[in-house]
Amino acid sequence: MESFKILKGKTAPLDMIDVDTDQIIPKQFLKKIERTGFGVHLFHDWRYLDDEGDILNQDFVLNSPRYKGAKILVTGENFGCGSSREHAPWALFDYGFKCIISPSFADIFFNNCRKNGILAVVLKKEEVEYLFDEIESNEGYQLTVDLPKQVVSTPNGKNFSFEVDSFAKNCLLKGLDDIGWTLQYKEKIKDFEKKVVTQKPWLFLEK
Amino acid sequence: MFEKIWDSHLVIEKDGNSIVYIDRHLVHEVTSPQAFEGLRLSGRKVMHPELTFAVPDHNIPTIDQNKPINDPISALQVETLRKNCRDFEITLFDLGDDRSGIVHVMGPEQGLTIPGSTIVCGDSHTATHGAFGSLAFGIGTSEVEHVLATQTLQQKKPKTMLIEVNGFLSHDVTPKDIILAIIGKIGTSGGRGYVIEYSGEAIESMSMEGRMTLCNMTIEAGARAGMIAPDEKTFEYLKNRPFAPKGESFRKALISWKQLSSDNDAKFDNTVKLNAVDVLPQVTWGTNPGMVTDINGRVPDPSNIVNSIERSSVEKALKYMGLKPNVPIKEIKIDRVFIGSCTNSRIEDLRSVAEYVKGKRVSKDVLAMIVPGSGIIKRQAEDEGLDKIFISAGFDWRQPGCSMCLAMNDDVLNPGERCASTSNRNFEGRQGKGSRTHLVSPLMAAAAAIAGHFVDPRLN
């Protein structure tokens, strides 16, 4: 997994609430057996006018040339709700978004982001509203997201601080693999099993 | 109850992170290939293949399941699941096996879902299994790989919410109507960060099928897990299920299961109360499950909404749904009916449809299909003669799978088509590009199929 430290990049707005993972990556693109190549299908039904994805919908905000190459997405409440599909963060990452800023995220999506090196930043509603206005009025708007300091900085010097739990922060900073972390405690897991198998044997099944 | 299960599954707490033991891991073809690929790349094994069960359900056809799958990409995904199960020695209920079907129907049916256990699956509707007093939730593919490799998950402890549904359901008002009403009340993000426990007379009086419907859609309120204390109905359901404990083991388990329910003085971070008698049959009008009203209601008028974000969200939904403000729900005509999904494809759902449509005919303007949740349900329905009732009423009777709930197979709506659906999500494009989904109970779907528009099944 790529590590995340300080990101400075072009910022795109998606001023909508309750954006579900069916919109982020529609189901017709879930049939791949790899983790890569989903970026071209990101927001497919909003982004393209045809099924094949040849004709761009010029009304969709991310198709505007001014947001080309954006690395940070600012969006409305409850982003990533619905299906647990991890194809959603895969598609966002593959498209180029390394950081999503919103007043709130759906739980499963939030976890899936972290596991794929995307920083999901929760800012206050009014801060997000402020960012929407700023992005709108300043072409080429860039934000700086500093994970070690837990601050989002605007070009005019405003700083918005955000919370991130220490474990997630450490994983993102180091690009750590969760499984490796857990397997450090393999003996503890085995001890736990030994204890439970005597107390609640019905939880285990025959090999 | 949540605390009891959480505490008894906590392996360690370290660096602000908890490792939770997972008792049952269910796997399907769409969210698992990349997890197995990850295991291979890192040279890891499945720690407990005997606690892991797989079934293809999301993208499989609902006709001719004995033949090869036409869509080469779907076929590859199912074939990949077979290979992964062979290589990693995981039990697979393959197509054609009676035990196969929708993963959240199969689990309880096989007795894999038991009280006091932790259950995960790479699918958000894993919440279904909480109906048995288990802690069950959906996970992403990285977490699927994590559970395969370690039989545990890293989790942050969620908050708890109690939803009390007092009083009894009126005749022909179903658990689906209750859960839609709850989502309408607390919103699609109202449960975010919580595990929801349901209690109250209405819940106690529900069958296990009804409780599964209720817990299933907990995720549509934003909560990852919903749960209901196990009782005699739960224990009765579990007796003699293939993978449930038996004999002396069952008796011992029973003693433990009876201690699971929340203590009288249990504290919840939030409590919501609802009176079951106030709930009427529900119909969604918008593009998320919280956009819902009852059968006597009307499509909302955005000009009456003060909050500008909400107003534009409703305007966008109505535009997509092709609905005018203030139109009575009963005047909305439909083109298609889908009865199925992990929410409503169980035998009780099918019986309620059969009872209503017996001797009636599906409207000439409507195409209606019924997709049972598993091979076992299909057979049971056929043994009871329900299939004959459906077919003679003009319904298409299919083989089990997720089907038009997410339309990854050939069961897809055409752009602009309007469907009364017993599934769980009415998102844009969910049932096909440009599709318009109205979520309802099986009984409401049956009544709409006959009338060609929404009607109150209690009056018709």
Side-chain angles (χ1 to χ4, degrees):
Chain A
M1 192 175 87
E2 281 182 32
S3 65
F4 188 110
K5 292 188 179 75
I6 297 171
L7 173 72
K8 183 173 184 186
K10 199 189 268 186
T11 306
L14 186 65
D15 190 1
M16 288 192 244
I17 57 169
D18 296 326
V19 173
D20 58 76
T21 54
D22 272 76
Q23 307 318 319
I24 298 174
I25 181 88
K27 75 249 163 194
Q28 61 268 36
F29 307 111
L30 306 187
K31 295 180 182 176
K32 287 166 73 97
I33 55 173
E34 306 86 24
R35 280 176 205 250
T36 49
F38 290 98
V40 63
H41 306 305
L42 178 73
F43 295 119
H44 182 280
D45 288 355
W46 289 343
R47 204 165 134 201
Y48 303 106
L49 294 173
D50 60 333
D51 291 347
E52 289 71 31
D54 294 329
I55 310 167
L56 285 183
N57 172 11
Q58 299 299 346
D59 293 337
F60 182 57
V61 59
L62 294 186
N63 286 336
S64 161
R66 65 186 275 185
Y67 300 122
K68 199 166 183 243
K71 289 181 182 162
I72 300 168
L73 182 70
V74 178
T75 183
E77 282 172 88
N78 202 28
F79 188 77
C81 63
S83 158
S84 62
R85 60 189 67 166
E86 198 160 320
H87 311 69
W90 295 339
L92 286 159
F93 191 89
D94 196 41
Y95 181 89
F97 289 121
K98 308 291 183 258
C99 173
I100 321 280
I101 299 175
S102 166
S104 62
F105 294 91
D107 289 336
I108 301 177
F109 177 81
F110 186 81
N111 285 343
N112 283 342
C113 278
R114 200 266 289 159
K115 289 171 196 297
N116 289 283
I118 297 176
L119 176 62
V121 171
V122 176
L123 291 186
K124 295 192 187 81
K125 220 169 164 175
E126 56 273 21
E127 293 167 345
V128 171
E129 289 298 323
Y130 174 80
L131 292 179
F132 280 140
D133 291 343
E134 288 287 296
I135 298 167
E136 173 79 40
S137 27
N138 298 287
E139 191 155 347
Y141 193 76
Q142 292 206 350
L143 287 173
T144 304
V145 182
D146 185 327
L147 178 59
K149 289 187 182 152
Q150 298 181 213
V151 168
V152 176
S153 309
T154 68
N156 60 358
K158 279 195 191 306
N159 290 319
F160 301 129
S161 63
F162 60 90
E163 295 292 318
V164 53
D165 82 70
S166 58
F167 178 78
K169 183 173 178 176
N170 196 32
C171 287
L172 280 163
L173 286 173
K174 294 182 183 160
L176 262 189
D177 167 334
D178 278 14
I179 298 177
W181 187 87
T182 299
L183 284 177
Q184 300 173 74
Y185 303 104
K186 199 170 175 181
E187 285 312 307
K188 298 258 186 215
I189 298 172
K190 292 288 158 199
D191 290 347
F192 176 88
E193 288 177 340
K194 278 181 205 146
K195 184 184 77 182
V196 177
V197 81
T198 56
Q199 295 169 344
K200 297 176 185 172
W202 57 87
L203 287 174
F204 295 86
L205 296 169
E206 298 276 321
K207 284 199 183 185
Chain B
M1 178 164 56
F2 162 75
E3 306 270 346
K4 291 178 189 177
I5 301 175
W6 177 270
D7 290 348
S8 69
H9 284 80
L10 198 57
V11 178
I12 58 162
E13 272 180 298
K14 191 112 185 162
D15 306 338
N17 197 27
S18 303
I19 295 183
V20 177
Y21 196 80
I22 301 301
D23 298 315
R24 301 286 181 270
H25 185 192
L26 309 176
V27 173
H28 65 83
E29 78 279 23
V30 174
T31 57
S32 69
Q34 294 87 353
F36 285 109
E37 180 200 17
L39 287 185
R40 282 197 185 88
L41 289 173
S42 52
R44 287 170 178 144
K45 289 197 168 74
V46 175
M47 190 181 264
H48 283 292
E50 80 284 6
L51 302 178
T52 312
F53 293 80
V55 66
D57 61 358
H58 276 59
N59 75 30
I60 56 170
T62 54
I63 44 171
D64 295 333
Q65 287 184 353
N66 54 332
K67 294 184 186 157
I69 299 175
N70 282 332
D71 174 0
I73 313 173
S74 294
L76 175 63
Q77 222 169 30
V78 172
E79 197 41 57
T80 303
L81 181 69
R82 287 178 183 139
K83 180 177 179 348
N84 287 332
C85 288
R86 272 198 308 273
D87 290 357
F88 292 96
E89 298 176 332
I90 291 167
T91 302
L92 169 73
F93 301 124
D94 206 347
L95 292 179
D97 185 329
D98 248 8
R99 298 171 296 179
S100 74
I102 306 172
V103 63
H104 308 307
V105 176
M106 176 279 285
E109 220 167 51
Q110 290 303 314
L112 292 168
T113 307
I114 55 175
S117 62
T118 50
I119 303 173
V120 295
C121 173
D123 185 279
S124 61
H125 291 110
T126 310
T128 313
H129 307 263
F132 291 77
S134 61
L135 176 60
F137 49 89
I139 55 178
T141 298
S142 294
E143 291 174 313
V144 170
E145 185 180 340
H146 191 278
V147 178
L148 289 171
T150 70
Q151 202 58 37
T152 65
L153 256 189
Q154 297 174 9
Q155 284 292 300
K156 284 192 81 170
K157 193 174 177 178
K159 294 180 285 184
T160 55
M161 182 188 293
L162 178 69
I163 297 188
E164 238 180 71
V165 189
N166 293 309
F168 294 96
L169 270 68
S170 317
H171 184 58
D172 287 348
V173 175
T174 70
K176 179 66 162 283
D177 301 307
I178 295 285
I179 188 63
L180 284 172
I182 288 171
I183 300 164
K185 186 179 166 93
I186 70 172
T188 51
S189 60
R192 197 176 51 231
Y194 291 96
V195 163
I196 295 178
E197 180 175 340
Y198 299 97
S199 73
E201 288 149 342
I203 310 296
E204 285 160 26
S205 66
M206 273 180 202
S207 65
M208 290 315 295
E209 284 83 358
R211 293 176 190 182
M212 284 189 253
T213 299
L214 192 77
C215 289
N216 170 277
M217 284 190 71
T218 304
I219 184 67
E220 300 340 316
R224 285 179 78 175
M227 55 205 312
I228 295 171
D231 61 9
E232 288 306 320
K233 280 183 197 165
T234 320
F235 309 141
E236 196 51 43
Y237 181 101
L238 286 167
K239 269 182 198 158
N240 302 316
R241 299 271 165 187
F243 292 93
K246 299 202 176 54
E248 187 53 24
S249 177
F250 187 86
R251 277 187 289 280
K252 280 188 181 155
L254 203 55
I255 297 168
S256 163
W257 293 345
K258 285 183 175 172
Q259 294 164 8
L260 279 170
S261 46
S262 291
D263 302 332
N264 288 333
D265 59 350
K267 288 197 171 50
F268 292 86
D269 298 305
N270 199 349
T271 300
V272 173
K273 289 186 183 183
L274 201 78
N275 206 331
V277 292
D278 296 338
V279 178
L280 302 177
Q282 305 281 305
V283 183
T284 64
W285 49 261
T287 51
N288 74 50
M291 294 175 161
V292 64
T293 184
D294 63 57
I295 184 66
N296 296 327
R298 288 168 184 268
V299 173
D301 187 341
S303 66
N304 296 334
I305 300 171
V306 182
N307 180 306
S308 66
I309 299 172
E310 254 175 64
R311 184 170 58 240
S312 67
S313 163
V314 168
E315 278 166 352
K316 184 166 173 283
L318 294 190
K319 186 173 173 223
Y320 179 85
M321 292 296 289
L323 291 173
K324 297 233 152 43
N326 300 313
V327 169
I329 294 293
K330 286 177 184 167
E331 287 178 15
I332 300 174
K333 287 193 177 136
I334 54 160
D335 309 301
R336 304 279 288 263
V337 166
F338 170 65
I339 295 171
S341 85
C342 57
T343 312
N344 282 122
S345 63
R346 297 178 179 83
I347 191 69
E348 191 180 84
D349 301 318
L350 303 187
R351 284 181 191 141
S352 79
V353 172
E355 194 189 341
Y356 186 87
V357 305
K358 194 172 185 178
K360 299 188 177 94
R361 283 291 301 174
V362 169
S363 161
K364 62 175 176 31
D365 302 323
V366 174
L367 279 177
M369 69 190 290
I370 303 179
V371 183
S374 72
I376 290 173
I377 292 172
K378 182 169 191 287
R379 179 171 300 204
Q380 191 177 351
E382 289 170 358
D383 286 347
E384 294 178 17
L386 306 186
D387 58 324
K388 294 202 176 60
I389 297 173
F390 298 146
I391 292 164
S392 68
F395 285 89
D396 206 355
W397 174 240
R398 295 296 187 91
Q399 289 171 311
C402 296
S403 181
M404 206 195 276
C405 174
L406 80 169
M408 272 189 83
N409 65 358
D410 291 336
D411 307 336
V412 181
L413 295 180
N414 294 316
E417 274 190 325
R418 191 178 294 288
C419 182
S421 178
T422 68
S423 54
N424 40 58
R425 287 189 176 135
N426 49 347
F427 296 152
E428 286 184 25
R430 175 78 177 181
Q431 296 189 299
K433 192 168 182 176
S435 62
R436 292 163 172 168
T437 305
H438 295 270
L439 302 176
V440 288
S441 73
L443 183 61
M444 284 284 286
I450 304 298
H453 55 92
F454 292 111
V455 291
D456 191 336
R458 300 170 303 169
L459 310 174
N460 290 271

